[in-house]
Amino acid sequence: MKFRKACSIILTALFMLTALGGCESGSRSQTADQVLGSGSKVLRILSGSENSELEPILEQFANENDMRIEMTYQGSLDIMRQLEQDKLPYDAVWPASSLWLNVGDSSLNLKHAESISITPVIFGIRQSLAEQLGFVGREVSVGDLLEPIRSGQLRFCMTSATQSNSGASAYIGFLYAMLGNPESITLEDLQTDALRTQMTELLAGVERSSGSSDWLKDMFLQGDFDAMVNYECLVIQANQELEAQGREPLYVVYPTDGLTIADSPLAYVDQGDGEKEELFLKLQEYLLSDEIQSAIQRTGRRSSYTGVNEENRDVFREDWGLQPDRVLSPMKMPAQEVLFQALDLYQTEFKKPSLNVYCLDYSGSMAGEGNQQLEAAMEQLLIQENARKNFLQASENEVNILIPFNGGVIDTYTATGNGSELEALYDKVENQEVGGGTDMYAAAVRGIELLGEYDLSQYTPAIILLTDGQSSGSLSDFESAYGELGAEVPVFSIMFGDADETQLEELARYTNARVFDGRENLTEAFRSVKGYN
């Protein structure tokens, strides 16, 4: 415990500086996820992941104006945290919802905020199941959805309410519906026993979670799931792909008493550069022009609250349950204090508990700086005072399993709950010696064996694997153990040092998961992957 006591304040400060400026694939403040165009003039935009679908439209503008647009994608909570900083290394922000521009305490000079498109957060349910449940051709309330969730007939995928706007928006809509749609939600409303019971029952229906709306869609397409909660535009895109593959489409259900809307505001970060501001305004004018608004509608987004253009009605197919003429009414968002309390309750009481298996590389190549970064990263997840700052804290029933490995499994340690047991798990991380070879497959197999001891239907399980080298061992051994488990458990890998990306991608493909890049910011990579369950 000595290292933690001596360095806790320093590491926390370092985390806040690095995590808020990093990204899943490198430093968010320095490395764009996508560069569009090749001109000398630059606009750097911090954006929600759902806007990646608009890259062809943005690239057209960049090429026509001899410039480049650097897009960096983050979750909504990350964007809010960035806006709380004194300086921002971006020229514009483009979150999924105005909520994240308004709820933070920002000293930044944000100007010219305009909604570029709107899209409701809806349920997409496998068509035959929607018919079986009696949802086709009628209005459906959140209470109607709760009944088949309680009985086990309906399971769905959804992004984390504490990490992604689609999940947060859906969750807020659920709260309003369960509370009888009050004028506004209060702190007292959140403490009722009836709400706790209903929200726990509803969120027990979540089969897989994600930290990104766009990745949730991709995960859904790769798996065998019955439903997902996501943006209308992403459900439309999923259906287009499902139809192309000859698979059953999703039927769209708009929860009548809990429908929330993402309004996609694009805002300028004024840092005194008049030329940059002029370029931003030109981009914004382009995006709001009639021609481009129609093109944006072709991606499944709406440009008004009262319907879609006639030429785009074919995108909003009524046989998929879409309602192109539906009038959408924005829901009043909770005050900041209420929102943060609601997110805290989601993380610690309402959502299905996580079951995390951390397979951590302690091979000889991790000695020195690598091991120090690992300790700092795990401190942010296991020490609850730190985890709370990013709504990643554990619940009473959460299970965390630590499997340190080198050329084989070194040991296994388990902690249940969010108290002293969990913090003691960090002591194991801190005191584990480094040395030996690398066999991540042995650790992953051991993780699968341990997961087999639990009723996984009661948890959101995941294996989180860190390695910094090429692994010995065999993928076939893992595949055999995984097949015997009889459940889909994602293996999220964190690439570090000279790790073999090919091996990690194989595990990700096999388990419908993804690889995170921790080479520039290991703490941020761990924080991101934890947001996926």
Side-chain angles (χ1 to χ4, degrees):
M1 297 286 284
K2 289 196 224 171
F3 180 84
R4 182 175 67 209
K5 290 175 181 174
C7 298
S8 177
I9 295 174
I10 295 172
L11 285 172
T12 299
L14 285 172
F15 169 75
M16 294 307 290
L17 288 172
T18 56
L20 296 174
C23 80
E24 292 171 359
S25 56
S27 175
R28 279 180 173 143
S29 60
Q30 298 173 9
T31 306
D33 292 307
Q34 190 64 258
V35 178
L36 308 168
S38 57
S40 57
K41 296 174 289 186
V42 180
L43 268 180
R44 297 178 176 88
I45 301 177
L46 177 62
S47 170
S49 65
E50 66 285 341
N51 288 326
S52 63
E53 307 295 336
L54 301 181
E55 285 174 3
I57 291 172
L58 295 170
E59 188 164 32
Q60 176 182 326
F61 176 83
N63 290 333
E64 288 175 356
N65 290 273
D66 188 30
M67 63 170 293
R68 67 180 187 271
I69 298 174
E70 297 183 357
M71 299 292 289
T72 299
Y73 298 112
Q74 290 188 18
S76 297
L77 185 72
D78 285 333
I79 292 175
M80 184 193 73
R81 295 298 195 211
Q82 289 265 27
L83 293 173
E84 292 176 340
Q85 305 308 298
D86 293 332
K87 293 184 178 180
L88 190 67
Y90 302 97
D91 306 308
V93 289
W94 198 356
S97 171
S98 295
L99 171 67
W100 307 105
L101 294 183
N102 300 332
V103 77
D105 181 18
S106 180
S107 61
L108 299 169
N109 187 11
L110 299 181
K111 298 171 61 177
H112 311 306
E114 293 282 353
S115 173
I116 302 302
S117 65
I118 60 172
T119 189
V121 179
I122 51 88
F123 272 78
I125 303 173
R126 190 164 44 81
Q127 184 128 14
S128 59
L129 178 58
E131 291 170 356
Q132 179 186 330
L133 296 174
F135 290 163
V136 174
R138 73 174 182 91
E139 294 286 73
V140 178
S141 69
V142 172
D144 293 331
L145 291 160
L146 181 57
E147 288 306 313
I149 291 170
R150 279 178 175 149
S151 66
Q153 293 175 279
L154 178 61
R155 292 286 179 266
F156 59 96
C157 305
M158 174 177 143
T159 62
S160 167
T162 60
Q163 305 302 315
S164 172
N165 180 71
S166 65
S169 295
Y171 172 59
I172 291 167
F174 298 157
L175 289 174
Y176 268 100
M178 298 301 183
L179 292 168
N181 280 292
E183 178 76 18
S184 61
I185 299 176
T186 66
L187 290 173
E188 291 73 24
D189 290 332
L190 296 176
Q191 303 307 318
T192 64
D193 290 338
L195 178 67
R196 178 174 284 101
T197 298
Q198 289 180 315
M199 286 304 305
T200 302
E201 290 175 338
L202 193 152
L203 293 174
V206 176
E207 191 170 10
R208 279 285 301 269
S209 184
S210 167
S212 159
S213 305
D214 201 51
W215 190 81
L216 182 76
K217 178 203 72 175
D218 293 341
M219 179 204 76
F220 186 91
L221 289 168
Q222 292 299 316
D224 181 21
F225 304 105
D226 283 338
M228 71 170 163
V229 175
N230 212 328
Y231 299 120
E232 181 185 54
C233 61
L234 293 183
V235 173
I236 289 172
Q237 290 165 26
N239 269 356
Q240 290 167 344
E241 294 188 46
L242 287 168
E243 190 172 77
Q245 296 169 15
R247 296 166 62 188
E248 183 178 14
L250 299 174
Y251 185 83
V252 171
V253 169
Y254 302 85
T256 54
D257 52 353
L259 187 65
T260 49
I261 299 164
D263 63 344
S264 188
L266 176 62
Y268 178 64
V269 182
D270 189 1
Q271 301 182 70
D273 187 334
E275 185 178 347
K276 191 84 71 174
E277 183 174 2
E278 185 179 340
L279 192 59
F280 168 86
L281 289 171
K282 191 172 183 179
L283 170 64
Q284 192 177 70
E285 182 182 12
Y286 164 83
L287 291 171
L288 292 173
S289 67
D290 290 344
E291 179 184 354
I292 300 305
Q293 283 287 292
S294 181
I296 290 174
Q297 275 192 14
R298 297 299 300 175
T299 71
R301 292 160 172 81
R302 300 174 183 238
S303 54
S304 83
Y305 290 90
T306 57
V308 302
N309 298 350
E310 190 63 35
E311 69 266 21
N312 294 319
R313 290 181 68 89
D314 61 310
V315 174
F316 295 80
R317 286 175 47 177
E318 295 182 57
D319 58 318
W320 290 344
L322 290 149
Q323 299 178 16
D325 298 319
R326 190 183 188 98
V327 176
L328 304 175
S329 300
M331 182 178 288
K332 183 178 179 181
M333 291 293 107
Q336 177 180 312
E337 182 183 24
V338 176
L339 174 65
F340 285 4
Q341 178 64 19
L343 293 177
D344 186 79
L345 286 169
Y346 168 88
Q347 187 68 23
T348 60
E349 295 189 34
F350 293 167
K351 81 179 184 73
K352 200 164 19 174
S354 299
L355 202 174
N356 309 301
V357 180
Y358 293 99
C359 299
L360 305 181
D361 190 342
Y362 283 88
S363 61
S365 56
M366 285 290 291
E369 184 181 0
N371 185 243
Q372 291 168 9
Q373 289 187 49
L374 172 59
E375 290 177 0
M378 292 302 293
E379 186 180 31
Q380 299 309 313
L381 301 183
L382 300 179
I383 305 306
Q384 294 304 282
E385 180 183 357
N386 298 330
R388 192 170 295 112
K389 293 169 185 173
N390 289 288
F391 297 106
L392 292 173
Q393 64 269 46
S395 66
E396 287 184 5
N397 298 314
E398 182 168 310
V399 178
N400 284 279
I401 300 172
L402 175 67
I403 305 179
F405 70 92
N406 47 27
V409 172
I410 297 171
D411 211 330
T412 61
Y413 309 98
T414 301
T416 301
N418 53 12
S420 58
E421 248 188 68
L422 185 57
E423 303 222 346
L425 201 63
Y426 175 71
D427 296 341
K428 303 298 184 183
V429 172
E430 187 180 31
N431 296 323
Q432 179 61 53
E433 294 184 0
V434 175
T438 305
D439 186 353
M440 67 179 185
Y441 298 112
V445 167
R446 182 63 179 134
I448 291 294
E449 292 170 350
L450 291 174
L451 288 175
E453 299 173 6
Y454 293 85
D455 178 1
L456 297 184
S457 69
Q458 303 303 306
Y459 299 91
T460 304
I463 294 177
I464 300 170
L465 170 66
L466 166 79
T467 186
D468 81 331
Q470 185 168 355
S471 180
S472 57
S474 169
L475 175 63
S476 62
D477 291 342
F478 171 81
E479 291 174 340
S480 176
Y482 194 86
E484 290 179 14
L485 181 66
E488 182 175 294
V489 175
V491 178
F492 295 110
S493 299
I494 299 175
M495 182 169 53
F496 192 66
D498 296 322
D500 186 340
E501 187 172 2
T502 303
Q503 291 180 318
L504 299 181
E505 289 288 357
E506 284 177 341
L507 282 173
R509 281 194 298 273
Y510 191 78
T511 64
N512 200 3
R514 63 172 293 187
V515 177
F516 293 79
D517 193 336
R519 288 173 294 189
E520 291 188 46
N521 193 330
L522 188 59
T523 297
E524 174 64 8
F526 267 98
R527 192 182 72 77
S528 295
V529 71
K530 181 63 176 69
Y532 274 63
N533 77 323

